[in-house]
């Protein structure tokens, strides 16, 4: 009998919490909030993505009201240009107008943008109120909702026009995470596939975090996952979050040099160099520009694997296997219109993972295993970029 419910504990001492994953879980949101030590009859701030189906939002409101809470709903427009201090300020003002007190939780119902923005407000309002993450995209379900990172973007103070992503934020662990796989029913396919890129990334780390089979399982189960079969989604999200929880438990605040949260940036140093170029798109045409984060990560994973092979850090053939899995997930494997390799190397050098002038890269070292390197020859990185040049 396939499992249609999973629970993943995140063990962080006094900041521990549980993730509940099940179809229909938001219909029981009130009970989850009750279990998260919220005082009875409290107001709760329900901050939601304004593109969600109204039925999802009203399911949450009904469940909260039935459990005796007073839900106060606040819509947010989920765009990167809206994930700003100004929007966070408006949300904080709204919380103050409604007189929310320190024990009253904020519920973040949406993708990573709503989760980051509402989480940031929760981290700062009255120096910290509880947040309950209810992710509605696959990316937020397998990644952003767990681990306590919250952030907003900063407009470039030097006026070059690019957003400085996640430049201002705080670590603020949620009190609970409630994942309703039915929420994915309305998620557009492109966003769903973007989330799969992060799943492949987790699989590429699985051997050191208790799940060496995850990458093979993901490949074998891809058809059921892509058609969003509930039991496969519950298993996918549960296994991915177990990896994420293990990493976060080892290094809650990304303080370890090696083997900690930095590993989650596998593929991301390449991805960050291309995802903010507004003209790039998965099919080369203007209609789908810019790249989604997950699309950039998928390309970054191939570039990282090719770099690793070129630098002799992993077995030959690994990049082709990773590329085949990414292609099977219908994510892009090549990109037209990439800037020159020299320009891309410069963009990577601006990434936050440059420490004392050295570019740190997370590279796969085997199927399901990755490591941190700061001595990768530029020629190997250039080979990585060439592998995805369309
Ligand atoms: N805090 C973390 O640890 C962490 C980790 C990874 C990413 N992030 C952040 O997450 C953000 C990206 O998150 P995302 O990929 O979830 O994107 P998102 O929040 O922008 O959501 C993607 C799109 O889907 C829509 N949407 C969301 N749920 C839907 C649903 N169920 N049905 C229909 N439409 C829906 C949104 O309105 C949006 O248009 C970035 O800002 C990134 O920095 C944070």
């Amino acid at each position: 009998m396939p499992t249609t419910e999973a629970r993943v504990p995140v063990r962080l001492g006094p900041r521990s919490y549980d993730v509940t994953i099940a179809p229909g879980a938001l219909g029981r949101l009130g009970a989850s909030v009750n279990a998260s030590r919220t005082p009875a009859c409290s107001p709760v701030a329900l901050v939601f993505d304004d593109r969600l189906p109204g039925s999802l939002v009203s399911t949450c409101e009904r469940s909260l009201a039935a459990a005796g809470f007073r839900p106060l709903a606040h819509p947010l427009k989920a765009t990167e240009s809206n994930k700003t201090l100004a929007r966070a300020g408006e949300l904080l003002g709204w919380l103050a107008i409604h007189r929310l007190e320190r024990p009253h939780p904020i519920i973040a119902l949406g993708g990573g943008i709503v989760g980051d923005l509402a989480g940031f407000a929760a981290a700062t309002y009255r120096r910290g109120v509880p947040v309950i993450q209810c992710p509605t995209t696959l990316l937020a379900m397998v990644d952003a909702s767990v681990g306590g990172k919250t952030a907003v973007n900063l407009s470039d103070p030097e006026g070059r026009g690019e957003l400085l992503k996640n430049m201002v934020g705080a670590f603020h662990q949620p009190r609970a995470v409630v994942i309703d796989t039915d929420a994915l029913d309305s998620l557009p396919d492109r966003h769903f596939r973007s989330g799969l890129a992060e799943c492949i990334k987790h699989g590429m780390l699985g051997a050191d975090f208790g799940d060496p089979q995850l990458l093979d399982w993901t490949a074998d189960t891809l058809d059921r996952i892509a058609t969003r079969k509930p039991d496969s989604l519950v298993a996918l999200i549960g296994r991915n979050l177990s990896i994420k929880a293990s990493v976060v438990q080892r290094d809650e605040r990304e303080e370890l040099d090696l083997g900690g949260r930095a590993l989650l940036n596998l593929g991301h140093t390449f991805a960050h160099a291309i995802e903010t170029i507004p003209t790039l798109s998965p099919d080369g045409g203007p209609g789908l520009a810019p790249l989604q984060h997950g699309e950039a990560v998928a390309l970054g994973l191939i570039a990282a694997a090719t770099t690793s092979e070129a630098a002799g850090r992993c077995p030959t053939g690994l990049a082709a296997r990773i590329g085949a899995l990414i292609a099977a997930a219908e994510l892009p494997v090549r990109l037209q219109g990439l800037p020159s390799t020299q320009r891309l190397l410069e963009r990577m050098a601006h990434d936050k993972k440059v420490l004392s002038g050295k570019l740190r890269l997370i590279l796969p070292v085997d199927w399901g295993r990755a490591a941190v390197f700061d001595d990768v020859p530029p020629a190997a990185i250039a080979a990585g970029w060439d592998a995805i040049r369309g």
Side-chain angles (χ1 to χ4, degrees), residues 108-251:
L109 178 68
I113 291 185
V114 168
D116 274 7
L117 190 56
F120 179 70
T124 48
Y125 182 68
R126 292 182 176 272
R127 300 190 187 85
V129 298
V131 63
I132 294 168
Q133 294 284 353
C134 302
T136 62
T137 62
L138 183 58
L139 180 137
M141 290 179 181
V142 297
D143 187 358
S145 59
V146 165
K149 280 191 180 178
T150 73
V152 293
N153 304 323
L154 207 58
S155 322
D156 181 353
E158 291 171 291
R160 280 183 297 243
E162 280 185 16
L163 282 177
L164 301 182
K165 279 197 66 181
N166 300 329
M167 197 55 122
V168 179
F171 284 97
H172 188 58
Q173 297 294 341
R175 194 62 81 74
V177 180
V178 179
I179 299 182
D180 185 342
T181 50
D182 290 347
L184 294 173
D185 289 351
S186 55
L187 186 70
D189 219 42
R190 189 175 176 196
H191 290 298
F192 185 83
R193 284 196 301 271
S194 277
L196 284 179
E198 298 289 356
C199 297
I200 294 170
K201 178 199 78 179
H202 286 144
M204 291 171 71
L205 303 171
D208 286 325
F209 292 95
D211 197 349
Q213 301 304 323
L214 180 57
L215 205 49
D216 284 328
W217 177 86
T218 306
D220 295 344
T221 318
L222 208 50
D223 284 349
R224 290 187 61 78
I225 294 169
T227 48
R228 308 189 195 187
K229 298 281 184 293
D231 59 321
S232 305
L233 292 175
V234 170
L236 177 78
I237 296 161
R239 288 176 76 156
N240 273 269
L241 283 183
S242 295
I243 304 252
K244 173 106 193 224
S246 303
V247 178
V248 170
Q249 283 162 192
R250 195 186 279 185
D251 180 21

